[in-house]
Amino acid sequence: FRRVDVNDCPLITARHHQVVDTLFATTIGFNGVVVSTIEHLLATFFGSRIDNVIVELDGPEVPIFDGSAATYLKLLQRAGLQEQSAPRNYLKVERPILVREGDSFIKALPADCFQVHYLIDFSHPMVGRQEFSWCFNDKSFAREIAKARTFGFFKDVQKLQGMGLARGGSLDNAIVFDDHRILNNDGFRYSNECVRHKILDFMGDLALAGMPLVGHFQAYKAGHALHNRFLRQLVSTPDSYAVLSPDAPIPASYLRSPKFHIFPERFSPATKAL
């Protein structure tokens, strides 16, 4: 990420050790310069098999759009992709690893593709206990994950805005609940949209590993803080994973995944302004 509004346009690498805050969103920073709410865009890169890109911003936060990854995915598809000659490595889980925080946990197991089983449990009658098992392939991100929006509770939005935060928060960029119902007139995009969005967040936070992951990930009542703690634990435990080089057998779901970057010249003026 490059902050073009700051002197010398500093670069902040999208890596797990650059995370400086996980309250409500994932924020990375370096030398006091930060970029927040990066997870939806990074999930789109992950889901589009893009791993070499510079994101230029004229402010400290990535645009939220409708609270999902759908707009980012549409813009990337419009821009186009180009294969590069540099090899791509993969981080493959070799041994089980578990990270807990209270009754929340994330566990990783060996597998031959990237798959997630995520479970959330909220007392709200419109959310409740939701779980979803999902396996990444060429079509599944756009169809099953990208359109899921972030969600929150009206009383929390009021509290944040009273603190000067979430000032742009509205029904246009999130699912919002009062004490009993959903306030959005268009309702849900999926019956279990909330847990699907948690998988989107999880993908974005795992993208900070710096390479695609291969494994079966199980998450229970987790969030950005635990996502980052888990990733730090994983990469700091060398016997729990292996880095697959291009010479190693690559999982079938990744066979059609050349290394890509964006054609910047294909962006329209409206897209360049983002």
Side-chain angles (χ1 to χ4, degrees):
F1 288 81
R2 175 180 285 143
R3 284 284 302 276
V4 298
D5 60 317
V6 177
N7 289 339
D8 299 324
C9 299
L11 284 168
I12 307 171
T13 56
R15 298 298 300 273
H16 63 280
H17 58 271
Q18 300 292 107
V19 173
V20 296
D21 191 14
T22 53
L23 183 64
F24 302 111
T26 296
T27 300
I28 56 174
F30 182 69
N31 286 344
V33 180
V34 301
V35 175
S36 64
T37 321
I38 63 172
E39 58 272 13
H40 301 168
L41 178 57
L42 289 184
T44 311
F45 291 153
F46 193 142
S48 304
R49 308 186 195 277
I50 295 171
D51 54 15
N52 187 21
V53 61
I54 294 176
V55 180
E56 293 189 345
L57 296 167
D58 60 1
E61 186 173 18
V62 175
I64 190 69
F65 295 118
D66 68 349
S68 76
T71 300
Y72 287 123
L73 191 60
K74 185 182 299 183
L75 291 172
L76 290 176
Q77 291 169 344
R78 183 192 306 170
L81 305 173
Q82 179 177 318
E83 183 176 355
Q84 295 182 282
S85 59
R88 167 188 276 158
N89 293 328
Y90 300 80
L91 190 156
K92 186 177 189 299
V93 176
E94 292 285 308
R95 297 177 184 274
I97 184 169
L98 173 68
V99 174
R100 289 186 176 274
E101 175 101 22
D103 64 342
S104 303
F105 70 83
I106 300 174
K107 183 177 183 179
L109 300 165
D112 290 328
C113 64
F114 177 80
Q115 58 189 90
V116 182
H117 183 90
Y118 212 110
L119 190 151
I120 60 174
D121 194 355
F122 288 85
S123 59
H124 194 279
M126 297 298 292
V127 184
R129 183 183 176 95
Q130 296 183 16
E131 59 183 309
F132 190 55
S133 292
W134 179 75
C135 187
F136 174 55
N137 60 47
D138 285 340
K139 305 287 186 182
S140 63
F141 178 73
R143 184 177 61 244
E144 299 171 359
I145 300 296
K147 294 184 292 184
R149 296 162 293 176
T150 192
F151 62 95
F153 302 93
F154 183 64
K155 59 185 178 182
D156 295 331
V157 174
Q158 288 181 307
K159 181 179 179 181
L160 288 172
Q161 291 180 337
M163 299 165 56
L165 303 172
R167 289 174 292 179
S170 73
L171 300 180
D172 294 327
N173 53 38
I175 302 169
V176 182
F177 303 99
D178 66 11
D179 290 339
H180 306 286
R181 61 191 176 93
I182 180 174
L183 299 181
N184 305 66
N185 291 329
D186 57 347
F188 292 112
R189 294 177 177 175
Y190 309 94
S191 61
N192 57 354
E193 186 170 358
C194 295
V195 72
R196 291 180 190 239
H197 183 81
K198 296 293 283 188
I199 292 177
L200 190 151
D201 281 345
F202 188 55
M203 289 180 68
D205 289 339
L206 288 189
L208 294 169
M211 66 185 79
L213 281 77
V214 179
H216 181 193
F217 300 88
Q218 301 172 356
Y220 176 67
K221 295 172 65 173
H224 295 298
L226 193 58
H227 295 170
N228 185 250
R229 185 180 153 202
F230 166 78
L231 185 55
R232 288 173 183 257
Q233 181 67 32
L234 175 64
V235 300
S236 65
T237 312
D239 64 347
S240 67
Y241 68 90
V243 175
L244 301 183
S245 70
D247 297 328
I250 300 298
S253 61
Y254 288 91
L255 287 178
R256 294 187 301 277
S257 75
K259 192 167 185 177
F260 288 121
H261 72 82
I262 299 172
F263 277 122
E265 66 273 14
R266 289 193 185 175
F267 278 109
S268 66
T271 308
K272 288 182 179 178
L274 297 177

